[in-house]
Every structure is written in C-alpha cells, then in structure tokens.
Amino acid sequence: MADVQTNPSIPVDSNSGFCHKTKTFQSMRPLVPLPPLSQPLSIADFTLSELLLRSSAFKSTTTVLVESSTGVHVSYSLFLSQIHSLTTSLRSSTSLSKGQVAFILTPPSLHVPVLYFALLALGVTISPSNPLGSDSEISYQVRLCNPVIAFATSSTSHKLPSLPLGTILLDSPEFLSMINGSRNGTDRFQQVQVSQSDSAAILYSSGTTGRVKGVLLTHRNLIALLAKFRQLLPETDQNQTEMLQPHPVCLFTLPLFHIFGFIMLVRAVARGETLVLMSRFDLEGMLSAVEKYRVTYIPISPSVVVALAKSDLVNKYDLSSLQLLGSSGAPLGKEVAERFAAKFPNVTIVQGYGLTESGAGGAEMMTPEESRRHGSVGRLSENMEAKIVDPVTGEALPPGHKGELWLRGPTVMNGYVGDDKATAETLDSERWLKTGDLCYFDSEGFLYIVDRLKELIKYKAYQVPPAELEHLLVSHPEIADAAVIPYPDEEAGQIPMAFVVRNPGSNIREAQVIGFIAKQVAPYKKVRRVSFINSIPKSPAGKILRRELLTRALSLGSSRL
C-alpha cells in the first residue's frame, strides 16, 4: 500500500490545495513522516513507546482511566502493568497467536482499553461490536470476521456461538487474575514481531446504506493516523496548547467499538491524557461528569451539541473546565454552531470528517481560527489527497463544485472482509476511496459535507439534501431534534418528510413546521409531510437511521399532505 507523498514539481494552488493538472486536492498541512513500512511495528508499540508518552504533563502516577459512575481510576503505571500481565497470560494460557481474530462484545469498562492494547501487541486482529446488537446481527458479524476467541461479559456472552478458543468473560475472576498477575510495571511484555501491513482491526460500518460491512484496517492505517500527534510541529502544538489547559481530561461518551471512539482512545493514551468513561450516555450524567472530574474536552456527536445548545440542564452544573468539543459523525449546521457559541463563548467546537473505511482520516480543524469556519468540517488531513467527482460524468471538479468525495492516503482501509464485490465498488484500482458523500471544497480548502449521495431526495427533477432541512428544523426553538426522509409520492417521485421531536412543553403543529421551512427554502425543498416522534433513531456514531424512519412512515399509511 503506497503512502501519499506530495510532488513539489506539480503546481498546487496555495489557498485551496487544488492541482489543475491532476484535478486533485492536496493536503496543505505539513507532510507527516511515517516509519519505514519495512520496520516491524504494531499500533500498540507505536502508541506506548517512550517517545509518545514523554511529555511535560505525563507521569506514571497520572490517571489514564476513570469510571465516571464509581470514580474508580487507573494510573498509567497500573495500565501498562495490566497490559503486560494480560499479554503474558494470553500467551501462556491460550494458543492465541498473531493473525487470528478476537471478537469483542462488551459494554464500556476500564478493562476494554487494556484488552485492546494487549491483543494488538500480540498481533491479534480485534473485532469489537455493539453489545446491544441483536443475536442475528452478532451472528452475521461473527461469520464475517471468523474469530477464534471472544471476549464478552456475563450479560452478552449468550449472543455468541461456540468458538475454537472459547469465550473469556471480562467480569470473571479468571480475567481479573489475567490482568493483575504481574505488578512489575517496568517489565516489557513479551514482544511479538508485527508487520505494519498486518491486520489490526475489523470494525463495522454503520450499515445506514446496505448491510453492515467489516472494515479491515492494518497497523499501518492506524499508525499513519496517530503519527501526526507524535510529530506535532511547534506552531500546531502551540495552537492546541492554547485550546487545552491544564492537563487534558477527556470525557468519553463514544462507544469504544466504533472507529471514532477507538481512535480517540488510542490518541488520548498516546498523549498521556486522562479518559473518563461513561457506561451509557445520558445528557445529565455527562454534565455531572464534566463538573465532577473537571473535564476539558469531549469528542461528541452533533446531536449532543444540539442538546447542549438547547437544554436548560446546563445551568445546573459547573461547566467552567470545559474548553473543547470535537464533533464528528455527521455535519454540524451553522445555525447550531452559532447558537452553541453564544451560549458557551469559552468552549471551542472543532469539527472533523472521516469514515470507518478511511480509518477516521479525512479532514479536521486544527486551530481556533479554523474552528470559526461554521458549517465546514475543516481542511484535508495530513498525507491525504481528495477528489470531488461528478457522480454522473465521472469528471473531477475544481473548488466550489459539488460532487462525490474521493479520498486516498495511508489511513484508507484494505477493504471489506468477505465482500470482494463491495470492496471493488468502493476502492478503485488506484486505491481511491469513494465515500458516497456529496461534498465540495471552497477556495480556501475547507471541506463542506452536503449529504449522502444515496440519501438525496429526488423531488421531480430536483435533488434535495435532507441534512440541509434538518439543520433548519433544529434551529427552531420548539424543536429538539429532527430527521428528514424521502417519502414515496406518485406525482413527484419522492417528497421531503420530517420526523420532529418537540421540546418539552412545546405544542408545535405540522402546519407550523411546514411554514417555518417554506419561508427559508426554494419551493422544491419544502417539507410536505410531518410526523412527531419521541426520539430520532441513530447509530452509535450519531448518524440518523433513515431506513427505520422510512419503514415507520410507510406503516403509517396514507395521510393528507
């Protein structure tokens, strides 16, 4: 797998990064050097190396993990000792070996990060899944990744089939003895030679379009993503230091089985930060944890940003420690960002863009100045290339034109496990990843996500992006959340239908919702049908599950428009 290297002989626009010769966008951020591909190196070794953990803020007594509900914490010294103990125990008590797959089905806990690092250090491919998944969903994922062993809890193990090396329960005395067997934190765990091209993780895409797929990421993919945090230039480091003082404390509302949560976990450990884990998300619990643990930043989904901007609960808690929100998973509307900024003037929102298939690499904001570009997800990430491709003609387009975003770079997946057809449809022969997202770059290289190509509503001869209407809907003071779907219509083909969650105490009606949107959009974009709902179904990453809403809408039967 070739890594992207910018060719200085090819003229690139210094503002947008667009090359008129190749019709590609180049990252305008400094090139991040990567270890030689021939060097044996796992993402665990890379993350836990002395260089990554050496910082002015880091000490072995620094807390790495805190369980928000109990206050139980783990120091870096104990964390490293537990990884050492678990790797040693797994090698001595099982025949688990490099290249095999471990399926992980467990709620978030202090043991999960230890398990991830131990397995990755052994060269075992981890395949974590949503513990709330149905039996059929879990069975399908197990068939995809073909694991030899599973790690679960007493509450989830019943969903798993019999595997060659069995299932180890994280809440069992056996596992506790495995992680606590050695207390010599200075010893290095027994080394396994892992190639960077070896498989590291099989993570599951959200399945919002088509059946869920197993995304295969290598150690090289993850190292390339993490390397930019190791090689921070003084200028960038200063910008990040300005955004986060004192010692960073990160509240984890993200699922650890998802790419966003997994990468943010590895990143935080690499930087010697403190992570506060929530077993399940609820808004008031999050606010309480911010106050109790003096949280400085939270990686978060846009729906939570909306809730923070609108909820009066925030007034009950001391949130003065909070400085930064990292929003990803879906575009954050300009109106919401501005409303949040007015309510929390001392909290910066930085947006980013990535897919499971891109190893979470894509675009991000890096400075306070970039964070003020509301509506954008930032500039193209280090070592990445992009194209904006006309979905009809296949022509690569310049800045200011909308088309499908294609990405290429060292974080892009190897492919889908057990699905060569889907891999060929998503990765072309030159390893361009077709994201399926309708996007554009502006003249300064900022990326804007319009919507999913497959989710565009085809109203007569027009295309209507649901996200645009959703951003307008949640800007209404009486609407807590909203989703828009394509509803079948004999005359128009499809019409925009809105599912709306009212704010507490609101009695907003369908006609008011329709009129609110009609005043702000072209006639073909108008919402023509409204249904009120208690909550919007979403994936763990915060993406709207439109298929569930469409099924619900069709079950409601015909109604007046």
Side-chain angles (χ1 to χ4, degrees), residues 75-118:
S75 69
Y76 269 91
S77 176
L78 178 58
F79 182 63
L80 296 175
S81 173
Q82 289 180 337
I83 294 171
H84 164 82
S85 296
L86 185 55
T87 53
T88 303
S89 297
L90 288 172
R91 295 202 73 183
S92 62
S93 63
T94 73
S95 57
L96 190 61
S97 60
K98 185 178 80 168
Q100 294 180 320
V101 177
F103 193 77
I104 302 168
L105 191 68
T106 172
S109 74
L110 300 179
H111 297 328
V112 174
V114 176
L115 177 63
Y116 282 0
F117 278 94

Side-chain angles (χ1 to χ4, degrees), residues 472 511-522 526:
L472 292 173
Q512 293 171 283
V513 173
I514 290 174
F516 175 73
I517 297 298
K519 294 175 183 177
Q520 303 180 73
V521 299
K526 291 193 299 184

Side-chain angles (χ1 to χ4, degrees), residues 19 46 64 79 116 146 149 155 183 189 202 227 248 262 267 286 297 383 387 447 525-526 550 552:
C19 174
F46 187 75
V64 57
F79 182 63
Y116 282 0
N146 193 28
I149 193 171
S155 65
R183 286 300 182 189
F189 47 77
I202 298 171
F262 176 72
R267 175 190 182 273
M286 183 189 79
Y297 81 103
N383 297 7
K387 286 183 184 180
L447 178 63
K525 292 183 180 180
K526 291 193 299 184
L550 181 58
R552 179 186 176 102

Side-chain angles (χ1 to χ4, degrees), residues 97 234 241 312 383 393 395 423 436 454 502 513 518 522:
S97 60
T241 300
D312 292 332
N383 297 7
T393 67
E395 178 187 0
T423 299
K454 291 183 179 180
R502 294 183 178 101
V513 173

Side-chain angles (χ1 to χ4, degrees), residues 4-6 22 24-27 380-387 405-410 432 441:
V4 172
Q5 300 291 329
T6 302
T22 63
T24 62
F25 291 85
Q26 304 290 325
S27 174
L380 197 59
S381 301
E382 296 87 342
N383 297 7
M384 295 294 286
E385 296 176 287
K387 286 183 184 180
L405 176 67
W406 291 16
L407 292 171
R408 184 168 67 178
W432 284 102
F441 285 96

